[in-house]
Amino acid sequence: MTQNEQQVAGLLLAAGGGRRLGGRPKALLEHRGRPLVEHAVGVLRTAGCTRVHVVLGAAATAVRERARLDGCVLVDNPEWADGMGSSLRAGLDSLSGTGARAVLVSLVDQPGIGPEAVARVLAAHKDETSLVSAAYDGVRGHPVLFGAAHWTRIAATATGDQGARAYLKEHAAAIALVECGDVAHPYDIDTIADLKHLE
């Protein structure tokens, strides 16, 4: 196990209700025969995240029943309908006291981003001041990595569907961009048309 694997926790945001998917919770969409949340956890683990926290919201009970999430820390976000910001806050809060020095945040609805991209972002972690982001043709995307020194301020600015966007924009000069366009496709599963990306 490398130093990074011990120090960087994986945080999967999987609380969305799939409003534009007719109310189908994204965590339970099927991909390669299993719930999407299970696939996303597998990506984090394969990339080297040994500690994985999963934020659940929409249909959390069904997700717990249907997805194999053994060994994960499951975090319930009762405010999931308020947007991604509340899930990011819940996830960061769940990491306090764990000894993690950084967190790698990924989204459940991006199955085109596999272990190769996640591992590249993970490898760029240096210490608790790190800010790292995957980039696709130079454009910032997911996953992102936040050193623990940033967590309090990120949580304070994470509102609605913004997540950490405002914070990252403000600190753009400090972000290490890791190009991943050659190994990953950063599409989201947001609408019915996007379901074609699932296998």
Side-chain angles (χ1 to χ4, degrees), residues 90-172:
L92 290 175
D93 193 50
S94 75
L95 287 164
S96 66
T98 61
R101 294 180 65 199
V103 62
L104 186 139
V105 182
S106 69
L107 307 180
V108 75
D109 65 349
Q110 295 190 317
I113 299 176
E116 300 87 356
V118 177
R120 283 186 190 179
V121 173
L122 195 61
H125 164 253
K126 291 187 171 55
D127 57 33
E128 56 271 359
T129 67
S130 293
L131 280 177
V132 185
S133 174
Y136 301 89
D137 296 325
V139 178
R140 186 168 56 72
H142 282 89
V144 289
L145 182 145
F146 311 130
H150 301 279
W151 294 357
T152 303
R153 286 172 292 162
I154 287 172
T157 58
T159 55
D161 271 326
Q162 290 293 307
R165 196 178 305 161
Y167 188 85
L168 292 174
K169 199 171 176 183
E170 194 183 321
H171 296 83

Side-chain angles (χ1 to χ4, degrees), residues 9-12 40-41 44-45 49-54 71-74:
L11 176 59
L12 178 65
V41 165
L44 287 172
R45 288 234 165 95
C49 292
T50 48
R51 168 185 286 278
V52 177
H53 289 220
V54 182
C72 295
V73 175
L74 303 182

